[in-house]
Amino acid sequence: MKIIHAKDYADMSRKAANIISAQVILKPDCVLGLATGTTPIGAYHQLIDWYKKGDVDFSQVKTYNLDEYRGLTHEDPQSYHYFMNKEFFSGINIDLANTHVPDGANPDAEAACKAYDKMVADAGYPDLQLLGIGRNGHIGFNEPADAFSKGTHCVDLTESTIEANSRLFEKEEDVPRQAYTMGVQTIMNARMILMVANGKNKAQAVHDMCFGPVAPSCPASILQLHANCVVVADDEALSLCEGQY
């Protein structure tokens, strides 16, 4: 696991965008695994700026998002499909037919998850998987549990995750209680993993991810076992890791 220290959120976003753009430049038809939430927005906006300057071309890229709320259609303004179009895809030259998000509108959880697993496997898994980390150490929507998950599955969201995500909704009661998410094993199949983290509220999770025991009580800790994992985090997120890297 390689840790890259960023000064602040803007610096973290630029450094992460540099790594993503390098992947696209080196392999124009690469497969990107993408994440939602507020942490990666800065990196997405930086990539849009570089695309507009002609520095990076997304026309051949394929993307697979980590997760989607169960019960939301692609057109729902609170869906992750809508989020990705708004914050990233609408600003670059990606073919929307090459962008993929789990089908939250499918009420058959088993069928929806199995179909998404097959799509990701058929694509050969991501060349680069972008991740954020939850305050409880979750990646995707893989919450702390007794065992690491495998393929895409339906999860019940914890109260801390619901509370953290409520900032994107009008009120906390509007946050869906379930989601479809790639499993830990699927995430680990990516050839490179890029974790981004910022803020004091992520400091304990970042420490446990990088230096704690590898245990499903902190799902992100499994990344210690990945052959090519890069963590880009700011001063505050790394505040409990001083002297350890």
Side-chain angles (χ1 to χ4, degrees), residues 31 44 50 58 60 68 112 123-124 144 146 150 175 179 196 206 221 224 235:
V31 175
Y44 291 150
W50 288 338
F58 294 91
Q60 299 179 62
E68 179 60 282
D146 295 329
K150 293 183 179 179
V175 183
V196 290
V206 169
S221 65
Q224 294 178 39
D235 281 340

Side-chain angles (χ1 to χ4, degrees), residues 21-235:
S21 63
Q23 172 65 71
V24 175
I25 291 166
L26 289 170
K27 186 180 179 184
D29 62 346
C30 66
V31 175
L32 298 180
L34 299 180
T36 47
T38 54
T39 305
I41 289 176
Y44 291 150
H45 290 182
Q46 181 66 76
L47 290 167
I48 290 171
D49 287 345
W50 288 338
Y51 159 69
K52 289 179 176 177
K53 291 175 182 175
D55 294 335
V56 60
D57 174 17
F58 294 91
S59 61
Q60 299 179 62
V61 171
K62 293 182 175 64
T63 69
Y64 292 84
N65 264 75
L66 283 167
D67 40 36
E68 179 60 282
Y69 287 118
R70 186 181 188 186
L72 300 189
T73 66
H74 286 344
E75 294 73 32
D76 192 303
Q78 301 297 346
S79 73
Y80 283 164
H81 184 276
Y82 189 96
F83 173 98
M84 291 305 302
N85 283 333
K86 177 187 174 189
E87 301 294 347
F88 190 31
F89 298 151
S90 63
I92 58 175
N93 65 330
I94 197 165
D95 181 350
L96 290 179
N98 287 336
T99 66
H100 308 85
V101 179
D103 184 7
N106 187 345
D108 187 334
E110 185 178 355
C113 294
K114 190 176 292 186
Y116 199 65
D117 256 352
K118 186 177 187 307
M119 277 197 286
V120 177
D122 288 349
Y125 297 102
D127 293 292
L128 183 153
Q129 175 66 61
L130 177 64
L131 295 176
I133 186 169
R135 288 180 294 181
N136 61 2
H138 75 241
I139 48 176
F141 274 130
N142 293 284
E143 303 280 12
D146 295 329
F148 290 111
S149 59
K150 293 183 179 179
T152 303
H153 58 291
C154 181
V155 294
D156 296 322
L157 304 184
T158 64
E159 286 306 314
S160 66
T161 297
I162 291 167
E163 180 190 348
N165 289 1
S166 65
R167 67 191 182 281
L168 302 173
F169 289 78
E170 192 172 320
K171 50 188 184 296
E172 190 171 306
E173 305 89 81
D174 295 338
V175 183
R177 267 44 186 176
Q178 290 184 314
Y180 298 150
T181 184
M182 278 189 198
V184 169
Q185 185 177 45
T186 306
I187 291 169
M188 291 290 282
N189 280 330
R191 281 169 281 288
M192 176 182 182
I193 290 177
L194 172 60
M195 166 65 75
V196 290
N198 74 289
K200 269 200 182 316
N201 65 340
K202 300 293 179 70
Q204 188 63 57
V206 169
H207 176 273
D208 293 348
M209 168 181 66
C210 297
F211 302 107
V214 175
S217 55
C218 176
S221 65
I222 193 75
L223 300 180
Q224 294 178 39
L225 305 181
H226 195 277
N228 187 15
C229 178
V230 176
V231 177
V232 181
D234 72 354
D235 281 340

Side-chain angles (χ1 to χ4, degrees), residues 5-8 197 199-200 203 233-240 242 245:
H5 191 137
K7 296 189 297 290
D8 51 27
K200 269 200 182 316
D234 72 354
D235 281 340
E236 292 185 335
L238 288 170
S239 59
L240 299 180
E242 291 177 11
Y245 65 96

